[in-house]
Amino acid sequence: DILSDRIIIATGSRPAALAGLKAGDIMIKFGDRDIKNLYDFTYALRAKKPGDVVEIEVDAIGILRNTIRDEVV
């Protein structure tokens, strides 16, 4: 999955797509960390290990969607 300035590319059987994220979603939070850029996401992800469950908040075309809760792969 690719995160470019918080825009998610989620396709096929990639972990983000399987978690319910859609192409074009903008990640706002990953766990308890605000995501403002690729570095924020990288550091937040590195703080987790496979099997951890995190909540992810996304903005889908200007509409804040429900928080997605899924396992880190």
Short mmCIF file of all heavy atoms in Angstrom, two decimals:
data_model
loop_
_atom_site.label_atom_id
_atom_site.label_comp_id
_atom_site.label_asym_id
_atom_site.label_seq_id
_atom_site.Cartn_x
_atom_site.Cartn_y
_atom_site.Cartn_z
N ASP A 1 0.85 -1.17 0.00
CA ASP A 1 0.00 0.00 0.00
C ASP A 1 0.90 1.23 0.00
O ASP A 1 1.95 1.23 0.60
CB ASP A 1 -0.88 0.02 1.23
CG ASP A 1 -1.78 -1.18 1.28
OD1 ASP A 1 -1.77 -1.97 0.32
OD2 ASP A 1 -2.50 -1.35 2.27
N ILE A 2 0.46 2.27 -0.64
CA ILE A 2 1.27 3.47 -0.78
C ILE A 2 0.57 4.63 -0.09
O ILE A 2 -0.63 4.81 -0.24
CB ILE A 2 1.50 3.81 -2.26
CG1 ILE A 2 2.22 2.63 -2.95
CG2 ILE A 2 2.28 5.10 -2.42
CD1 ILE A 2 2.27 2.74 -4.43
N LEU A 3 1.32 5.40 0.65
CA LEU A 3 0.79 6.59 1.30
C LEU A 3 1.59 7.76 0.79
O LEU A 3 2.78 7.82 0.98
CB LEU A 3 0.93 6.47 2.82
CG LEU A 3 0.39 7.64 3.60
CD1 LEU A 3 -1.12 7.50 3.69
CD2 LEU A 3 0.99 7.66 4.99
N SER A 4 0.95 8.68 0.10
CA SER A 4 1.64 9.84 -0.43
C SER A 4 0.91 11.07 0.08
O SER A 4 -0.21 11.36 -0.36
CB SER A 4 1.62 9.80 -1.96
OG SER A 4 2.15 10.99 -2.48
N ASP A 5 1.54 11.78 1.01
CA ASP A 5 0.89 12.92 1.65
C ASP A 5 -0.50 12.55 2.14
O ASP A 5 -1.47 13.25 1.88
CB ASP A 5 0.85 14.12 0.71
CG ASP A 5 2.23 14.70 0.51
OD1 ASP A 5 3.06 14.60 1.42
OD2 ASP A 5 2.47 15.24 -0.57
N ARG A 6 -0.59 11.43 2.80
CA ARG A 6 -1.78 10.92 3.47
C ARG A 6 -2.84 10.37 2.52
O ARG A 6 -3.91 9.99 2.95
CB ARG A 6 -2.42 11.96 4.38
CG ARG A 6 -1.50 12.46 5.43
CD ARG A 6 -2.15 13.43 6.35
NE ARG A 6 -2.87 14.46 5.63
CZ ARG A 6 -3.82 15.20 6.15
NH1 ARG A 6 -4.17 15.03 7.40
NH2 ARG A 6 -4.43 16.11 5.45
N ILE A 7 -2.60 10.31 1.22
CA ILE A 7 -3.59 9.74 0.30
C ILE A 7 -3.27 8.27 0.13
O ILE A 7 -2.17 7.90 -0.23
CB ILE A 7 -3.59 10.46 -1.05
CG1 ILE A 7 -3.99 11.92 -0.83
CG2 ILE A 7 -4.55 9.77 -2.02
CD1 ILE A 7 -3.91 12.78 -2.07
N ILE A 8 -4.26 7.44 0.37
CA ILE A 8 -4.05 6.00 0.36
C ILE A 8 -4.42 5.41 -0.99
O ILE A 8 -5.46 5.71 -1.55
CB ILE A 8 -4.91 5.35 1.46
CG1 ILE A 8 -4.43 5.83 2.82
CG2 ILE A 8 -4.86 3.83 1.36
CD1 ILE A 8 -5.36 5.53 3.94
N ILE A 9 -3.56 4.55 -1.49
CA ILE A 9 -3.86 3.76 -2.67
C ILE A 9 -4.13 2.35 -2.15
O ILE A 9 -3.23 1.67 -1.69
CB ILE A 9 -2.69 3.77 -3.68
CG1 ILE A 9 -2.43 5.20 -4.14
CG2 ILE A 9 -2.98 2.85 -4.85
CD1 ILE A 9 -1.19 5.36 -4.96
N ALA A 10 -5.39 1.97 -2.17
CA ALA A 10 -5.79 0.67 -1.62
C ALA A 10 -6.47 -0.13 -2.73
O ALA A 10 -7.54 0.22 -3.17
CB ALA A 10 -6.74 0.87 -0.45
N THR A 11 -5.80 -1.18 -3.16
CA THR A 11 -6.35 -1.98 -4.25
C THR A 11 -6.24 -3.46 -3.95
O THR A 11 -5.38 -3.89 -3.19
CB THR A 11 -5.60 -1.69 -5.57
OG1 THR A 11 -4.23 -2.00 -5.39
CG2 THR A 11 -5.75 -0.25 -6.01
N GLY A 12 -7.10 -4.23 -4.57
CA GLY A 12 -7.02 -5.68 -4.53
C GLY A 12 -6.94 -6.27 -3.15
O GLY A 12 -7.72 -5.96 -2.27
N SER A 13 -5.96 -7.13 -2.94
CA SER A 13 -5.82 -7.84 -1.68
C SER A 13 -4.75 -7.21 -0.79
O SER A 13 -4.23 -7.85 0.11
CB SER A 13 -5.49 -9.30 -1.93
OG SER A 13 -4.27 -9.41 -2.63
N ARG A 14 -4.41 -5.94 -1.04
CA ARG A 14 -3.43 -5.24 -0.21
C ARG A 14 -4.02 -5.04 1.19
O ARG A 14 -5.23 -4.96 1.36
CB ARG A 14 -3.10 -3.88 -0.82
CG ARG A 14 -2.71 -3.92 -2.29
CD ARG A 14 -1.35 -4.41 -2.51
NE ARG A 14 -0.42 -3.32 -2.24
CZ ARG A 14 0.87 -3.46 -2.31
NH1 ARG A 14 1.39 -4.60 -2.63
NH2 ARG A 14 1.66 -2.47 -2.05
N PRO A 15 -3.19 -4.98 2.23
CA PRO A 15 -3.70 -4.84 3.60
C PRO A 15 -4.66 -3.68 3.80
O PRO A 15 -5.68 -3.83 4.48
CB PRO A 15 -2.42 -4.67 4.43
CG PRO A 15 -1.39 -5.41 3.65
CD PRO A 15 -1.73 -5.15 2.21
N ALA A 16 -4.38 -2.51 3.22
CA ALA A 16 -5.27 -1.36 3.39
C ALA A 16 -6.65 -1.64 2.80
O ALA A 16 -7.67 -1.32 3.40
CB ALA A 16 -4.66 -0.11 2.76
N ALA A 17 -6.69 -2.24 1.62
CA ALA A 17 -7.97 -2.56 0.98
C ALA A 17 -8.73 -3.59 1.80
O ALA A 17 -9.95 -3.48 2.00
CB ALA A 17 -7.75 -3.06 -0.44
N LEU A 18 -8.03 -4.58 2.31
CA LEU A 18 -8.68 -5.61 3.12
C LEU A 18 -9.24 -5.03 4.42
O LEU A 18 -10.22 -5.54 4.95
CB LEU A 18 -7.71 -6.75 3.41
CG LEU A 18 -7.25 -7.55 2.19
CD1 LEU A 18 -6.17 -8.56 2.60
CD2 LEU A 18 -8.42 -8.26 1.53
N ALA A 19 -8.63 -3.95 4.91
CA ALA A 19 -9.09 -3.30 6.14
C ALA A 19 -10.30 -2.39 5.89
O ALA A 19 -10.91 -1.90 6.82
CB ALA A 19 -7.97 -2.49 6.75
N GLY A 20 -10.62 -2.16 4.60
CA GLY A 20 -11.78 -1.33 4.29
C GLY A 20 -11.45 0.06 3.82
O GLY A 20 -12.34 0.86 3.55
N LEU A 21 -10.15 0.38 3.70
CA LEU A 21 -9.78 1.69 3.18
C LEU A 21 -10.02 1.72 1.68
O LEU A 21 -9.92 0.70 1.00
CB LEU A 21 -8.30 1.97 3.48
CG LEU A 21 -7.95 2.05 4.96
CD1 LEU A 21 -6.45 2.07 5.15
CD2 LEU A 21 -8.57 3.27 5.58
N LYS A 22 -10.35 2.88 1.19
CA LYS A 22 -10.65 3.05 -0.23
C LYS A 22 -9.59 3.94 -0.88
O LYS A 22 -9.02 4.81 -0.22
CB LYS A 22 -12.01 3.71 -0.42
CG LYS A 22 -13.15 3.02 0.31
CD LYS A 22 -13.62 1.82 -0.46
CE LYS A 22 -14.86 1.25 0.19
NZ LYS A 22 -14.83 -0.15 0.41
N ALA A 23 -9.38 3.75 -2.18
CA ALA A 23 -8.45 4.60 -2.91
C ALA A 23 -8.88 6.05 -2.76
O ALA A 23 -10.06 6.37 -2.88
CB ALA A 23 -8.43 4.19 -4.38
N GLY A 24 -7.94 6.91 -2.46
CA GLY A 24 -8.22 8.33 -2.29
C GLY A 24 -8.52 8.75 -0.86
O GLY A 24 -8.60 9.93 -0.58
N ASP A 25 -8.73 7.78 0.04
CA ASP A 25 -8.93 8.13 1.45
C ASP A 25 -7.70 8.87 1.96
O ASP A 25 -6.58 8.59 1.55
CB ASP A 25 -9.12 6.88 2.31
CG ASP A 25 -10.49 6.24 2.16
OD1 ASP A 25 -11.37 6.84 1.50
OD2 ASP A 25 -10.69 5.14 2.71
N ILE A 26 -7.91 9.80 2.86
CA ILE A 26 -6.81 10.54 3.46
C ILE A 26 -6.73 10.14 4.92
O ILE A 26 -7.68 10.31 5.68
CB ILE A 26 -7.02 12.06 3.33
CG1 ILE A 26 -7.10 12.44 1.85
CG2 ILE A 26 -5.91 12.82 4.04
CD1 ILE A 26 -7.48 13.88 1.61
N MET A 27 -5.60 9.57 5.30
CA MET A 27 -5.42 9.12 6.68
C MET A 27 -5.22 10.32 7.59
O MET A 27 -4.39 11.18 7.33
CB MET A 27 -4.22 8.18 6.77
CG MET A 27 -4.09 7.52 8.11
SD MET A 27 -2.71 6.36 8.22
CE MET A 27 -3.17 5.14 7.01
N ILE A 28 -6.00 10.35 8.66
CA ILE A 28 -5.93 11.44 9.63
C ILE A 28 -5.24 10.98 10.91
O ILE A 28 -4.45 11.71 11.50
CB ILE A 28 -7.35 11.94 9.95
CG1 ILE A 28 -7.99 12.51 8.70
CG2 ILE A 28 -7.33 12.98 11.07
CD1 ILE A 28 -9.46 12.78 8.85
N LYS A 29 -5.55 9.77 11.35
CA LYS A 29 -4.94 9.21 12.56
C LYS A 29 -4.61 7.75 12.36
O LYS A 29 -5.33 7.03 11.67
CB LYS A 29 -5.91 9.31 13.75
CG LYS A 29 -5.86 10.61 14.48
CD LYS A 29 -6.63 10.53 15.77
CE LYS A 29 -5.64 10.61 16.87
NZ LYS A 29 -6.09 11.28 18.06
N PHE A 30 -3.52 7.31 12.95
CA PHE A 30 -3.12 5.91 12.98
C PHE A 30 -2.86 5.60 14.44
O PHE A 30 -1.88 6.10 15.01
CB PHE A 30 -1.87 5.68 12.13
CG PHE A 30 -1.44 4.25 12.04
CD1 PHE A 30 -1.96 3.43 11.05
CD2 PHE A 30 -0.54 3.72 12.94
CE1 PHE A 30 -1.56 2.10 10.95
CE2 PHE A 30 -0.14 2.40 12.86
CZ PHE A 30 -0.65 1.59 11.86
N GLY A 31 -3.75 4.84 15.05
CA GLY A 31 -3.66 4.64 16.49
C GLY A 31 -3.89 5.96 17.20
O GLY A 31 -4.84 6.67 16.89
N ASP A 32 -2.98 6.32 18.09
CA ASP A 32 -3.14 7.58 18.81
C ASP A 32 -2.35 8.73 18.19
O ASP A 32 -2.26 9.81 18.76
CB ASP A 32 -2.73 7.40 20.28
CG ASP A 32 -1.27 7.00 20.44
OD1 ASP A 32 -0.62 6.68 19.43
OD2 ASP A 32 -0.79 7.01 21.59
N ARG A 33 -1.78 8.50 17.01
CA ARG A 33 -0.93 9.51 16.38
C ARG A 33 -1.63 10.21 15.22
O ARG A 33 -2.23 9.57 14.36
CB ARG A 33 0.35 8.87 15.86
CG ARG A 33 1.20 8.30 16.98
CD ARG A 33 2.48 7.77 16.44
NE ARG A 33 3.24 7.11 17.48
CZ ARG A 33 4.55 7.14 17.54
NH1 ARG A 33 5.25 7.78 16.63
NH2 ARG A 33 5.18 6.50 18.51
N ASP A 34 -1.52 11.54 15.20
CA ASP A 34 -2.02 12.32 14.06
C ASP A 34 -1.10 12.09 12.88
O ASP A 34 0.12 12.04 13.04
CB ASP A 34 -2.05 13.81 14.39
CG ASP A 34 -3.10 14.15 15.44
OD1 ASP A 34 -4.11 13.41 15.53
OD2 ASP A 34 -2.92 15.15 16.15
N ILE A 35 -1.69 11.97 11.70
CA ILE A 35 -0.91 11.75 10.48
C ILE A 35 -1.05 12.99 9.61
O ILE A 35 -2.14 13.30 9.12
CB ILE A 35 -1.40 10.49 9.72
CG1 ILE A 35 -1.36 9.26 10.61
CG2 ILE A 35 -0.57 10.30 8.45
CD1 ILE A 35 0.01 8.90 11.15
N LYS A 36 0.07 13.69 9.43
CA LYS A 36 0.07 14.89 8.60
C LYS A 36 0.91 14.73 7.35
O LYS A 36 0.81 15.52 6.42
CB LYS A 36 0.57 16.08 9.42
CG LYS A 36 -0.35 16.40 10.58
CD LYS A 36 0.14 17.61 11.35
CE LYS A 36 -0.85 17.90 12.45
NZ LYS A 36 -0.28 17.94 13.76
N ASN A 37 1.75 13.68 7.35
CA ASN A 37 2.61 13.44 6.18
C ASN A 37 3.13 12.00 6.23
O ASN A 37 2.83 11.25 7.16
CB ASN A 37 3.77 14.44 6.14
CG ASN A 37 4.56 14.45 7.41
OD1 ASN A 37 4.99 13.40 7.90
ND2 ASN A 37 4.75 15.64 7.98
N LEU A 38 3.90 11.64 5.24
CA LEU A 38 4.43 10.28 5.13
C LEU A 38 5.31 9.92 6.32
O LEU A 38 5.28 8.79 6.80
CB LEU A 38 5.21 10.13 3.82
CG LEU A 38 5.81 8.76 3.55
CD1 LEU A 38 4.74 7.69 3.50
CD2 LEU A 38 6.59 8.78 2.24
N TYR A 39 6.06 10.87 6.83
CA TYR A 39 6.94 10.60 7.97
C TYR A 39 6.13 10.25 9.22
O TYR A 39 6.49 9.33 9.95
CB TYR A 39 7.87 11.78 8.24
CG TYR A 39 8.78 12.05 7.08
CD1 TYR A 39 8.57 13.15 6.26
CD2 TYR A 39 9.84 11.20 6.78
CE1 TYR A 39 9.41 13.40 5.17
CE2 TYR A 39 10.67 11.43 5.70
CZ TYR A 39 10.44 12.54 4.90
OH TYR A 39 11.25 12.78 3.82
N ASP A 40 5.04 11.00 9.46
CA ASP A 40 4.18 10.69 10.61
C ASP A 40 3.67 9.25 10.53
O ASP A 40 3.67 8.53 11.52
CB ASP A 40 2.98 11.63 10.66
CG ASP A 40 3.35 13.06 11.01
OD1 ASP A 40 4.44 13.29 11.57
OD2 ASP A 40 2.51 13.95 10.73
N PHE A 41 3.24 8.85 9.34
CA PHE A 41 2.74 7.49 9.16
C PHE A 41 3.84 6.46 9.37
O PHE A 41 3.65 5.45 10.04
CB PHE A 41 2.10 7.31 7.78
CG PHE A 41 1.69 5.89 7.52
CD1 PHE A 41 0.63 5.33 8.20
CD2 PHE A 41 2.38 5.12 6.60
CE1 PHE A 41 0.26 4.00 7.98
CE2 PHE A 41 2.00 3.80 6.36
CZ PHE A 41 0.94 3.25 7.05
N THR A 42 5.01 6.73 8.80
CA THR A 42 6.13 5.80 8.93
C THR A 42 6.49 5.57 10.39
O THR A 42 6.65 4.43 10.83
CB THR A 42 7.36 6.33 8.16
OG1 THR A 42 7.00 6.48 6.78
CG2 THR A 42 8.54 5.38 8.28
N TYR A 43 6.60 6.64 11.17
CA TYR A 43 6.94 6.51 12.59
C TYR A 43 5.83 5.81 13.37
O TYR A 43 6.12 5.00 14.26
CB TYR A 43 7.25 7.88 13.20
CG TYR A 43 8.45 8.55 12.56
CD1 TYR A 43 8.40 9.88 12.21
CD2 TYR A 43 9.62 7.84 12.29
CE1 TYR A 43 9.50 10.50 11.61
CE2 TYR A 43 10.71 8.45 11.69
CZ TYR A 43 10.64 9.78 11.35
OH TYR A 43 11.72 10.39 10.76
N ALA A 44 4.58 6.12 13.05
CA ALA A 44 3.45 5.47 13.74
C ALA A 44 3.44 3.97 13.45
O ALA A 44 3.22 3.16 14.34
CB ALA A 44 2.13 6.12 13.32
N LEU A 45 3.68 3.61 12.20
CA LEU A 45 3.69 2.20 11.81
C LEU A 45 4.86 1.46 12.44
O LEU A 45 4.71 0.34 12.92
CB LEU A 45 3.73 2.07 10.29
CG LEU A 45 3.62 0.66 9.73
CD1 LEU A 45 2.32 -0.01 10.17
CD2 LEU A 45 3.72 0.69 8.21
N ARG A 46 6.02 2.09 12.49
CA ARG A 46 7.21 1.46 13.08
C ARG A 46 7.03 1.19 14.57
O ARG A 46 7.69 0.32 15.13
CB ARG A 46 8.44 2.33 12.87
CG ARG A 46 8.97 2.26 11.48
CD ARG A 46 10.23 3.06 11.36
NE ARG A 46 10.73 3.03 9.99
CZ ARG A 46 11.66 3.84 9.52
NH1 ARG A 46 12.20 4.74 10.31
NH2 ARG A 46 12.04 3.75 8.27
N ALA A 47 6.16 1.96 15.22
CA ALA A 47 5.92 1.77 16.65
C ALA A 47 5.03 0.56 16.93
O ALA A 47 4.87 0.15 18.07
CB ALA A 47 5.28 3.03 17.24
N LYS A 48 4.47 -0.03 15.88
CA LYS A 48 3.60 -1.20 16.01
C LYS A 48 4.34 -2.44 15.54
O LYS A 48 5.34 -2.37 14.85
CB LYS A 48 2.33 -1.02 15.17
CG LYS A 48 1.52 0.21 15.52
CD LYS A 48 0.98 0.10 16.91
CE LYS A 48 0.18 1.34 17.30
NZ LYS A 48 -0.23 1.32 18.68
N LYS A 49 3.80 -3.58 15.93
CA LYS A 49 4.37 -4.84 15.46
C LYS A 49 3.25 -5.68 14.84
O LYS A 49 2.07 -5.44 15.11
CB LYS A 49 5.06 -5.57 16.60
CG LYS A 49 4.18 -5.93 17.76
CD LYS A 49 5.01 -6.56 18.87
CE LYS A 49 4.17 -6.98 20.04
NZ LYS A 49 3.61 -5.92 20.83
N PRO A 50 3.60 -6.64 13.98
CA PRO A 50 2.58 -7.49 13.36
C PRO A 50 1.67 -8.10 14.44
O PRO A 50 2.14 -8.55 15.48
CB PRO A 50 3.38 -8.56 12.64
CG PRO A 50 4.66 -7.87 12.30
CD PRO A 50 4.95 -7.00 13.51
N GLY A 51 0.38 -8.03 14.18
CA GLY A 51 -0.60 -8.56 15.12
C GLY A 51 -1.23 -7.50 16.00
O GLY A 51 -2.29 -7.72 16.57
N ASP A 52 -0.59 -6.31 16.14
CA ASP A 52 -1.20 -5.22 16.89
C ASP A 52 -2.47 -4.78 16.18
O ASP A 52 -2.54 -4.78 14.95
CB ASP A 52 -0.26 -4.02 16.98
CG ASP A 52 0.88 -4.20 17.96
OD1 ASP A 52 0.86 -5.20 18.72
OD2 ASP A 52 1.78 -3.35 17.97
N VAL A 53 -3.45 -4.40 16.95
CA VAL A 53 -4.70 -3.88 16.38
C VAL A 53 -4.71 -2.37 16.57
O VAL A 53 -4.45 -1.88 17.67
CB VAL A 53 -5.93 -4.52 17.05
CG1 VAL A 53 -7.22 -3.89 16.54
CG2 VAL A 53 -5.95 -6.02 16.80
N VAL A 54 -4.94 -1.64 15.49
CA VAL A 54 -4.95 -0.17 15.56
C VAL A 54 -6.25 0.37 14.98
O VAL A 54 -6.88 -0.27 14.14
CB VAL A 54 -3.76 0.46 14.81
CG1 VAL A 54 -2.45 0.06 15.43
CG2 VAL A 54 -3.79 0.12 13.35
N GLU A 55 -6.61 1.55 15.44
CA GLU A 55 -7.73 2.27 14.86
C GLU A 55 -7.15 3.31 13.90
O GLU A 55 -6.16 3.96 14.22
CB GLU A 55 -8.56 2.94 15.94
CG GLU A 55 -9.30 1.93 16.79
CD GLU A 55 -10.21 2.59 17.81
OE1 GLU A 55 -10.18 3.83 17.96
OE2 GLU A 55 -10.95 1.85 18.47
N ILE A 56 -7.78 3.42 12.73
CA ILE A 56 -7.33 4.35 11.70
C ILE A 56 -8.50 5.26 11.36
O ILE A 56 -9.58 4.77 11.04
CB ILE A 56 -6.87 3.59 10.45
CG1 ILE A 56 -5.75 2.62 10.79
CG2 ILE A 56 -6.43 4.57 9.35
CD1 ILE A 56 -5.47 1.62 9.70
N GLU A 57 -8.29 6.57 11.43
CA GLU A 57 -9.32 7.52 11.01
C GLU A 57 -8.95 8.04 9.64
O GLU A 57 -7.81 8.41 9.39
CB GLU A 57 -9.42 8.68 11.99
CG GLU A 57 -10.03 8.31 13.32
CD GLU A 57 -10.18 9.50 14.23
OE1 GLU A 57 -10.31 10.64 13.74
OE2 GLU A 57 -10.16 9.29 15.45
N VAL A 58 -9.94 8.06 8.75
CA VAL A 58 -9.70 8.55 7.40
C VAL A 58 -10.77 9.56 7.00
O VAL A 58 -11.89 9.54 7.49
CB VAL A 58 -9.69 7.40 6.36
CG1 VAL A 58 -8.53 6.47 6.60
CG2 VAL A 58 -10.99 6.64 6.35
N ASP A 59 -10.37 10.46 6.11
CA ASP A 59 -11.28 11.43 5.51
C ASP A 59 -11.50 10.94 4.08
O ASP A 59 -10.56 10.81 3.31
CB ASP A 59 -10.61 12.80 5.52
CG ASP A 59 -11.47 13.90 4.93
OD1 ASP A 59 -12.34 13.60 4.09
OD2 ASP A 59 -11.25 15.06 5.29
N ALA A 60 -12.75 10.64 3.77
CA ALA A 60 -13.08 10.14 2.43
C ALA A 60 -13.80 11.24 1.67
O ALA A 60 -14.97 11.49 1.88
CB ALA A 60 -13.96 8.90 2.52
N ILE A 61 -13.07 11.94 0.82
CA ILE A 61 -13.60 13.02 0.00
C ILE A 61 -14.37 14.03 0.86
O ILE A 61 -15.52 14.34 0.61
CB ILE A 61 -14.47 12.48 -1.14
CG1 ILE A 61 -13.75 11.37 -1.88
CG2 ILE A 61 -14.84 13.60 -2.11
CD1 ILE A 61 -14.60 10.63 -2.88
N GLY A 62 -13.71 14.50 1.91
CA GLY A 62 -14.30 15.53 2.75
C GLY A 62 -15.27 15.05 3.80
O GLY A 62 -15.80 15.83 4.57
N ILE A 63 -15.53 13.74 3.86
CA ILE A 63 -16.46 13.20 4.84
C ILE A 63 -15.69 12.29 5.78
O ILE A 63 -15.11 11.30 5.35
CB ILE A 63 -17.58 12.39 4.15
CG1 ILE A 63 -18.33 13.26 3.17
CG2 ILE A 63 -18.52 11.78 5.19
CD1 ILE A 63 -19.26 12.48 2.26
N LEU A 64 -15.66 12.63 7.07
CA LEU A 64 -14.96 11.78 8.03
C LEU A 64 -15.73 10.49 8.19
O LEU A 64 -16.89 10.48 8.58
CB LEU A 64 -14.83 12.48 9.38
CG LEU A 64 -14.04 11.73 10.44
CD1 LEU A 64 -12.61 11.47 9.98
CD2 LEU A 64 -14.05 12.49 11.75
N ARG A 65 -15.09 9.40 7.81
CA ARG A 65 -15.72 8.09 7.93
C ARG A 65 -15.52 7.54 9.31
O ARG A 65 -14.67 8.00 10.06
CB ARG A 65 -15.13 7.12 6.91
CG ARG A 65 -15.51 7.49 5.51
CD ARG A 65 -15.34 6.37 4.53
NE ARG A 65 -14.57 5.25 5.00
CZ ARG A 65 -13.83 4.49 4.23
NH1 ARG A 65 -13.74 4.74 2.96
NH2 ARG A 65 -13.18 3.46 4.72
N ASN A 66 -16.27 6.51 9.61
CA ASN A 66 -16.07 5.83 10.89
C ASN A 66 -14.64 5.32 10.99
O ASN A 66 -14.01 5.03 9.99
CB ASN A 66 -17.03 4.65 11.02
CG ASN A 66 -18.46 5.08 11.18
OD1 ASN A 66 -18.73 6.18 11.64
ND2 ASN A 66 -19.39 4.23 10.80
N THR A 67 -14.20 5.22 12.20
CA THR A 67 -12.87 4.70 12.45
C THR A 67 -12.81 3.24 12.04
O THR A 67 -13.74 2.48 12.28
CB THR A 67 -12.54 4.82 13.95
OG1 THR A 67 -12.60 6.21 14.30
CG2 THR A 67 -11.18 4.27 14.27
N ILE A 68 -11.73 2.87 11.39
CA ILE A 68 -11.51 1.50 10.97
C ILE A 68 -10.55 0.86 11.97
O ILE A 68 -9.54 1.45 12.33
CB ILE A 68 -10.91 1.45 9.55
CG1 ILE A 68 -11.93 2.03 8.56
CG2 ILE A 68 -10.50 0.04 9.18
CD1 ILE A 68 -11.37 2.30 7.20
N ARG A 69 -10.88 -0.31 12.43
CA ARG A 69 -10.04 -1.01 13.40
C ARG A 69 -9.56 -2.30 12.75
O ARG A 69 -10.37 -3.11 12.30
CB ARG A 69 -10.86 -1.31 14.64
CG ARG A 69 -10.11 -1.92 15.77
CD ARG A 69 -11.06 -2.09 16.96
NE ARG A 69 -10.43 -2.80 18.02
CZ ARG A 69 -9.74 -2.25 18.99
NH1 ARG A 69 -9.59 -0.95 19.02
NH2 ARG A 69 -9.21 -2.99 19.93
N ASP A 70 -8.24 -2.47 12.64
CA ASP A 70 -7.73 -3.66 12.00
C ASP A 70 -6.36 -4.01 12.55
O ASP A 70 -5.73 -3.24 13.25
CB ASP A 70 -7.65 -3.45 10.48
CG ASP A 70 -7.59 -4.76 9.72
OD1 ASP A 70 -8.00 -5.80 10.26
OD2 ASP A 70 -7.13 -4.73 8.58
N GLU A 71 -5.91 -5.20 12.19
CA GLU A 71 -4.65 -5.75 12.65
C GLU A 71 -3.51 -5.26 11.76
O GLU A 71 -3.64 -5.20 10.54
CB GLU A 71 -4.72 -7.28 12.60
CG GLU A 71 -3.52 -7.98 13.11
CD GLU A 71 -3.71 -9.49 13.09
OE1 GLU A 71 -4.84 -9.96 13.33
OE2 GLU A 71 -2.72 -10.17 12.83
N VAL A 72 -2.39 -4.92 12.36
CA VAL A 72 -1.20 -4.53 11.61
C VAL A 72 -0.60 -5.80 10.99
O VAL A 72 -0.47 -6.81 11.65
CB VAL A 72 -0.16 -3.87 12.54
CG1 VAL A 72 1.13 -3.59 11.79
CG2 VAL A 72 -0.72 -2.59 13.13
N VAL A 73 -0.26 -5.71 9.71
CA VAL A 73 0.31 -6.86 9.02
C VAL A 73 1.78 -6.62 8.78
O VAL A 73 2.23 -5.58 8.49
CB VAL A 73 -0.40 -7.08 7.66
CG1 VAL A 73 0.21 -8.24 6.92
CG2 VAL A 73 -1.87 -7.28 7.89
#
